[in-house]
Amino acid sequence: MKVKNKILKDEEITSANLEALFKAASITTDRDDDGDLVLLDNGIPTFIGIDAERKLLSFYVIWGLKSRMSAEDKRAFANKLNDSLILVRFAVGGKDLWFDYNLLYEG
């Protein structure tokens, strides 16, 4: 698939086509153990999930938090980020902070 100056149609949103699009933009890509697309830009891996039924792309990053932070402090930190940033959602899972952003691509 030629991707230079290409806008993908709904039915063209696949992991392989997104990977080609990001590579054309000089963004390094990889695959995780499940075969999901991972962007490796500026040393921060960004995972991309595709929900074709709902026409939804999910971008998420996992960031390790210091082990000396209590679970309560981690939750408070995630809530403070959620209160101050609009488009990104933050959550704590174990010792990690999760960031995600969802993008509808219908139409």
Side-chain angles (χ1 to χ4, degrees), residues 73-90:
D73 288 342
K74 291 175 186 177
R75 282 190 302 275
F77 179 60
N79 287 334
K80 181 178 180 181
L81 292 170
N82 282 323
D83 287 343
S84 61
L85 297 169
I86 297 171
L87 295 177
V88 180
R89 179 178 60 174
F90 299 88

Side-chain angles (χ1 to χ4, degrees), residues 25-66:
S26 299
I27 297 174
T28 303
T29 64
D30 197 2
R31 298 291 177 141
D32 68 8
D33 294 338
D34 298 324
D36 295 326
L37 183 60
V38 181
L39 305 180
L40 302 169
D41 194 32
N42 295 319
I44 300 172
T46 301
F47 300 85
I48 300 178
I50 301 172
D51 183 338
E53 184 178 318
R54 296 190 305 168
K55 298 187 183 292
L56 181 73
L57 293 176
S58 296
F59 298 82
Y60 57 100
V61 174
I62 304 167
W63 193 271
L65 294 173
K66 294 182 179 180

